Amino acid sequence: MEKERLNTAKTITIYDIAEEAGVSASTVSRVLNGSASVRKEKKERIQKIIEKYNFKPNALAKGLSDTATKNIGIIAADVRNPYYSALFVACELAAEKAGYSVVLSNSLGENERERAQLDIMMQQRVDAIIQMGGRVDDLITDDSYAEKVRGICEKTPVIVTGKLDKAPVHSVVIDESNAMDILMEHLFALGHEKIALVGGEMKVASTYNKYQKYQENLRKKGIKERGEYVVNGTYDPESGYECTSKVLDLEERPTAIIAINDFAASGAVRAIKEHGLRIPEDISLVSFDNTYIAELTIPKLTSIDYDYEGYGRVLIETAVSAAEGKNVEMMQMITPKLVIRESSGKLENGV
Amino acid sequence: MEKERLNTAKTITIYDIAEEAGVSASTVSRVLNGSASVRKEKKERIQKIIEKYNFKPNALAKGLSDTATKNIGIIAADVRNPYYSALFVACELAAEKAGYSVVLSNSLGENERERAQLDIMMQQRVDAIIQMGGRVDDLITDDSYAEKVRGICEKTPVIVTGKLDKAPVHSVVIDESNAMDILMEHLFALGHEKIALVGGEMKVASTYNKYQKYQENLRKKGIKERGEYVVNGTYDPESGYECTSKVLDLEERPTAIIAINDFAASGAVRAIKEHGLRIPEDISLVSFDNTYIAELTIPKLTSIDYDYEGYGRVLIETAVSAAEGKNVEMMQMITPKLVIRESSGKLENGV
DNA sequence: CTGAAAGCGCTAACAT
DNA sequence: ATGTTAGCGCTTTCAG
C-alpha cells in the first residue's frame, strides 16, 4: 500500500517570495524584519507578494540562525489550580505584548517530569524559563535539582516564583509574610484571638513562612499559641475540610480560621456548615490567593490577592530583560492585598 | 557601556560530541535517534560523552531538517475555565506518552487573537493543531475563519472539539444531545416536569444542541414548553445567578433547573439559597461538565462528565495519527456520563 | 541599497 | 557500519 500524505501543500519560503519579486532572499528577509532599509518600490512589491501568499517565515529556521526564539518556557505546578491558570494567562498576555510566546508545561508534582520539562525547554531553545511552583517551592532546596538548574542558568535565564538556593536564578516572590500580617491584623481588628491555621505542608516554603508569621503575630499580640490550632494538610478542598473538621471538634474551638488557600477554604466552608455554624457570625474564615473560588463559595471569601496581572507582567518583564542580556534584579517582591468579602466578621460573643 | 551577555556558555553540538568520540556527526545522530545500528563499542563511547556534557540536541535544527517537530499546538478558549484546564492537562499527559509536546495558547474569546495564534503555530511548525472552544463552537461558522483554517489544513491537520463547516478538519465532539437526554431522563425519573434551562448562548452550537434536545424531551414526555423557563446568558457564575433568579421569581417556578455548566450552576446555587429554597428538597439542580466546581458547591452538584482523560487521549491520538499521515475518522464522539451527587432529588410535593 | 555566500545544528540519502 | 555531502529556511556579514 502506498503511503499517502494528505496535508502536503508546497511550503513556500523566503526564496519563493524573492524569486517572484525578482530580488534576493536577503532583501526579503530585510523587509520581513525591517532590519535594513530597502527601496520603497521593492519593499512594497515584496510585501504585496508576502500578503498574497500569506507567507509566514519558518520560526525554526529563524530561531536556528538567530540566537533568540522569542519563546519563554513556563513550568507550572498544575494549571488546573486557578492560582496557576490565572498567573499563566497573565504571563501569556504580557508576553504577547512584548512580542514573545509562552510555552507551558505542568510538572504535576512529579520530580521526574519537572526535570524532563527543563530539558525539553532547553532543546526547544526558549529564551528564558519561568518556573511557577513545584520544586522551587520547597523549603529545603533539592540539591540535585539545584544542580540541574545551575547548569541551565549558564545558558538560559531562569525565573522562579519561589527560591532555589545555590543557583543564580531570578526570584519574583509574593511577600508571604506581609500577606499573613495583613490577614491577622484584619482578624485582630475584628476581635479574634482564637485563630486557627488549616491546610498546607510545612515543607513548602511559602507555607512555612506563613506559619512563622502566624506565630510571630500571636506572640506580639500576647496570645499564647495553641498547637492544636495549627493543622497541616495539603492544598485541596478535601484537605481543607478535614483539617477544619479537626479544629472544630476541639473543646475550645477557634473563632477564626485561616485557610492556606481558597481551595482549602472551600472545604473549610463545608466543614463549618456541617458543624451547624454560621460564617461569619459564629466563625470567620479567611484565605490566600483570591482566585475565582473566593467568589463561588457561600459566603464569598475574604482572601489575599496578588494582582495576577501585575505579577505576570513582572515575571515576563524579568524574563525578557534577562533574555536580552539586560541587568535585572535577582529578587523582586509582589505586594499582597486584602480583599474583604463576606466570610469574615466581628467577633460577637465568646464561644 | 559594553553590552554584557551573561548566560553564554558554549553551546555544544553534535559535532563536538563527534569530534571527542572520533566519529562523524552522522554516527552521533544515529545513536541519538537509534535510526541505524552503530557498533556497540562506539555507541557506548558516544553515549558516555553525551551524558558527560548532558548534551541535548537542538530541537529547532532537528525540526528544520526533519519534517516533524513532535509538537502539537493547542488553542483553548481559556484555561482558567476548569473544563479547558482539565482537558488540556489530559492532552498534555497523552501527548507525553506519545512522545509529543503540547504548545498551549488561549484565545480568550478574541477573534483576532485566535487567528494570530493559528499563524504562530504554523510558523512554529507544529505537527497538528487542536482547537478547543472558541470559533469552532459557533453555531454558524464564521466564513473568514473557516477560510483561514482551510488554508492551514492543507499543511497541518486540525482537530476541533466543535465543528467547522467548509473546512476539512477532524472533529472530536461531546455527544451533547445524548448528555441532555441523560440529564432529563434523570429529572423525569425523579418526578420533575417543570424544568428550567439557565445560562449559555444560543449562538454556541453545543448550547443550541442542548436546547433542541431539551425541547424534544419535553415534547416526547407530553410536557408543554414554557418560554420563560429558558433563560440565556453566558457561562459564568454571575450569569448563572442572574438567569436563575429570573426563573425563581416566576409565578410558577420550576422544580428543577438545568445549568449550562458547573460555573453557571454555582451561581444558581447562590440564587436558590437567597430565595430561601433548599437543594434538592425544594428544587433540584443539575449541570454539565463535572469539573471540580461540582464538588465545591454545597450541596455537591449532579453533573455530566466527559471522562477528560479519555477525551484528551482521543484528541491526541487523532492529532498524532493525522500528523503521521495515517487515516483517521473525521468525526468522533465522546460519550457523556451522569454523575449523581447531592443537588438532585425526588420531587416531594407540588409548589 | 542589494546580492552572494557562509553558517545555525541536525538528518538523510548516498557511497564506501 | 560509518563517513561525506547536501540540504532544511532564515539571517548576516561582506562586497559592491
Side-chain angles (χ1 to χ4, degrees):
Chain A
M1 196 174 79
E2 201 181 348
K3 198 177 190 177
E4 38 173 333
R5 290 215 105 277
L6 291 162
N7 316 82
T8 319
K10 174 181 172 15
T11 302
I12 143 159
T13 77
I14 206 173
Y15 282 100
D16 300 319
I17 304 289
E19 185 174 354
E20 186 159 337
V23 299
S24 76
S26 327
T27 305
V28 177
S29 172
R30 286 191 263 259
V31 339
L32 232 27
N33 303 295
S35 51
S37 41
V38 172
R39 190 172 306 164
K40 198 178 168 203
E41 179 213 44
K42 279 191 180 177
K43 187 181 204 162
E44 281 167 0
R45 178 151 33 105
I46 293 172
Q47 279 170 329
K48 196 145 291 173
I49 301 177
I50 288 176
E51 269 186 37
K52 172 177 156 195
Y53 292 106
N54 195 258
F55 170 70
K56 306 284 173 198
N58 182 326
L60 301 174
K62 188 164 188 168
L64 187 58
S65 82
D66 268 12
T67 43
T69 56
K70 296 283 184 178
N71 277 152
I72 294 174
I74 295 184
I75 299 181
D78 190 345
V79 269
R80 288 172 301 191
N81 179 326
Y83 168 84
Y84 292 109
S85 64
L87 196 49
F88 170 71
V89 172
C91 286
E92 184 180 19
L93 258 21
E96 186 181 294
K97 253 177 223 149
Y100 281 72
S101 289
V102 294
V103 179
L104 171 71
S105 56
N106 295 283
S107 53
L108 304 179
E110 282 179 43
N111 220 307
E112 291 273 322
R113 179 174 287 119
E114 201 162 335
R115 305 165 72 93
Q117 286 166 343
L118 282 173
D119 283 335
I120 290 179
M121 304 221 151
M122 290 307 287
Q123 292 184 239
Q124 226 93 265
R125 294 298 188 269
V126 295
D127 296 340
I129 295 176
I130 296 176
Q131 185 162 355
M132 324 192 305
R135 291 283 65 68
V136 301
D137 271 348
D138 291 349
L139 181 58
I140 298 165
T141 298
D142 176 309
D143 264 346
S144 82
Y145 191 77
E147 191 185 327
K148 167 137 212 131
V149 174
R150 223 177 297 131
I152 288 177
C153 288
E154 288 172 15
K155 318 211 80 285
T156 307
V158 175
I159 293 87
V160 305
T161 61
K163 58 182 54 174
L164 203 60
D165 301 332
K166 301 173 237 166
V169 300
H170 298 264
S171 291
V172 182
V173 300
I174 291 163
D175 189 342
E176 307 283 359
S177 302
N178 183 222
M180 183 54 102
D181 283 349
I182 294 173
L183 224 38
M184 293 196 73
E185 260 167 45
H186 175 62
L187 293 177
F188 286 155
L190 292 170
H192 296 279
E193 300 215 327
K194 290 189 252 175
I195 302 172
L197 181 56
V198 306
E201 306 169 277
M202 286 304 175
K203 66 175 186 179
V204 173
S206 63
T207 299
Y208 181 77
N209 293 340
K210 283 171 184 154
Y211 174 62
Q212 292 282 322
K213 269 293 170 179
Y214 165 83
Q215 286 186 307
E216 188 185 314
N217 274 284
L218 288 180
R219 216 180 305 125
K220 270 194 196 153
K221 186 84 177 173
I223 301 171
K224 212 184 104 225
E225 186 194 346
R226 301 166 189 240
E228 69 273 26
Y229 275 7
V230 178
V231 185
N232 284 130
T234 55
Y235 301 83
D236 51 86
E238 213 39 58
S239 175
Y241 174 82
E242 281 161 20
C243 296
T244 302
S245 297
K246 268 185 208 153
V247 163
L248 295 178
D249 287 337
L250 290 174
E251 208 165 313
E252 194 169 351
R253 70 169 132 74
T255 63
I257 292 178
I258 300 175
I260 201 66
N261 67 2
D262 295 338
F263 260 147
S266 74
V269 169
R270 182 181 302 277
I272 294 169
K273 290 193 176 171
E274 281 185 10
H275 275 72
L277 299 168
R278 295 161 305 163
I279 309 173
E281 293 84 349
D282 299 317
I283 196 159
S284 281
L285 175 64
V286 298
S287 68
F288 295 92
D289 290 2
N290 194 35
T291 59
Y292 61 73
I293 303 292
E295 304 229 285
L296 286 192
T297 57
I298 302 177
K300 295 183 180 177
L301 300 173
T302 289
S303 188
I304 292 282
D305 184 72
Y306 311 127
D307 176 16
Y308 290 96
E309 195 188 321
Y311 193 178
R313 205 183 316 122
V314 174
L315 281 170
I316 293 299
E317 277 168 10
T318 306
V320 170
S321 297
E324 294 176 355
K326 290 177 196 148
N327 227 20
V328 210
E329 294 158 88
M330 295 305 280
M331 168 63 116
Q332 293 168 85
M333 283 271 196
I334 296 296
T335 308
K337 214 186 84 193
L338 182 67
V339 176
I340 300 176
R341 292 204 184 79
E342 310 160 348
S343 68
S344 56
K346 260 218 166 64
L347 178 62
E348 296 287 340
N349 40 20
V351 179
Chain B
M1 196 174 78
E2 200 181 349
K3 198 177 190 176
E4 36 175 334
R5 290 215 105 277
L6 290 163
N7 317 81
T8 319
K10 175 184 170 11
T11 302
I12 143 160
T13 76
I14 205 173
Y15 282 100
D16 301 318
I17 304 289
E19 186 174 355
E20 185 160 337
V23 299
S24 77
S26 327
T27 305
V28 177
S29 172
R30 286 191 263 260
V31 339
L32 233 26
N33 303 295
S35 50
S37 42
V38 172
R39 191 173 304 165
K40 198 177 168 202
E41 178 213 45
K42 281 191 181 175
K43 186 181 202 164
E44 282 167 1
R45 178 151 34 105
I46 293 171
Q47 279 170 331
K48 198 145 291 171
I49 302 176
I50 288 175
E51 269 185 37
K52 171 177 157 196
Y53 292 106
N54 195 259
F55 168 71
K56 304 285 172 198
N58 182 327
L60 300 175
K62 189 165 184 166
L64 189 57
S65 81
D66 267 15
T67 42
T69 56
K70 295 281 182 182
N71 277 154
I72 294 174
I74 296 184
I75 299 180
D78 190 344
V79 269
R80 290 173 299 193
N81 179 325
Y83 168 84
Y84 291 109
S85 65
L87 196 48
F88 170 71
V89 172
C91 285
E92 184 179 20
L93 258 20
E96 186 181 295
K97 252 177 223 151
Y100 281 72
S101 289
V102 292
V103 179
L104 172 71
S105 55
N106 295 283
S107 52
L108 305 178
E110 284 179 40
N111 219 307
E112 291 273 323
R113 178 174 287 119
E114 202 162 333
R115 305 165 72 93
Q117 286 166 344
L118 283 173
D119 283 334
I120 291 179
M121 303 222 152
M122 289 308 285
Q123 292 184 243
Q124 226 92 266
R125 294 299 188 267
V126 296
D127 296 341
I129 295 176
I130 295 176
Q131 185 160 356
M132 322 192 307
R135 290 284 65 68
V136 300
D137 272 350
D138 291 349
L139 180 58
I140 298 165
T141 299
D142 177 309
D143 264 345
S144 81
Y145 191 77
E147 191 187 325
K148 167 140 211 128
V149 173
R150 223 176 298 132
I152 289 178
C153 287
E154 288 172 15
K155 320 209 79 285
T156 306
V158 175
I159 293 88
V160 305
T161 60
K163 59 183 53 175
L164 202 61
D165 301 332
K166 304 173 237 166
V169 300
H170 298 264
S171 292
V172 182
V173 301
I174 291 163
D175 189 342
E176 307 284 359
S177 301
N178 183 222
M180 183 53 101
D181 283 348
I182 295 173
L183 224 38
M184 293 196 75
E185 259 167 46
H186 174 62
L187 293 177
F188 286 155
L190 292 170
H192 297 280
E193 301 214 327
K194 290 189 249 173
I195 303 172
L197 180 55
V198 305
E201 306 168 277
M202 285 305 173
K203 65 175 185 178
V204 173
S206 64
T207 299
Y208 181 77
N209 292 340
K210 282 171 184 152
Y211 174 61
Q212 292 283 323
K213 269 293 172 179
Y214 165 82
Q215 287 185 306
E216 187 185 317
N217 273 283
L218 288 180
R219 216 179 307 125
K220 271 195 198 153
K221 187 82 175 174
I223 302 170
K224 210 186 103 225
E225 186 193 347
R226 302 167 187 239
E228 68 273 25
Y229 275 7
V230 178
V231 185
N232 284 130
T234 56
Y235 300 83
D236 52 84
E238 212 41 59
S239 174
Y241 174 82
E242 281 161 21
C243 295
T244 303
S245 297
K246 267 185 212 156
V247 163
L248 295 179
D249 288 337
L250 290 175
E251 208 165 311
E252 193 168 353
R253 71 168 131 73
T255 62
I257 292 178
I258 300 175
I260 201 66
N261 67 1
D262 294 340
F263 259 148
S266 75
V269 170
R270 182 180 301 277
I272 293 169
K273 289 192 176 170
E274 281 185 11
H275 274 72
L277 300 168
R278 296 161 305 164
I279 310 173
E281 293 84 348
D282 299 317
I283 195 158
S284 280
L285 176 64
V286 298
S287 68
F288 295 91
D289 289 2
N290 194 35
T291 60
Y292 61 73
I293 303 292
E295 304 229 286
L296 287 190
T297 56
I298 301 177
K300 297 184 180 176
L301 301 172
T302 289
S303 188
I304 291 283
D305 184 72
Y306 311 128
D307 175 16
Y308 291 96
E309 196 189 321
Y311 193 178
R313 205 183 316 121
V314 174
L315 282 170
I316 294 298
E317 278 169 9
T318 304
V320 169
S321 297
E324 295 176 354
K326 289 177 197 149
N327 227 19
V328 210
E329 294 157 89
M330 295 306 281
M331 168 63 114
Q332 293 168 84
M333 284 268 196
I334 297 295
T335 307
K337 212 186 85 193
L338 182 66
V339 176
I340 299 175
R341 292 205 183 79
E342 308 159 350
S343 69
S344 56
K346 259 216 167 64
L347 178 63
E348 297 287 341
N349 38 21
V351 178

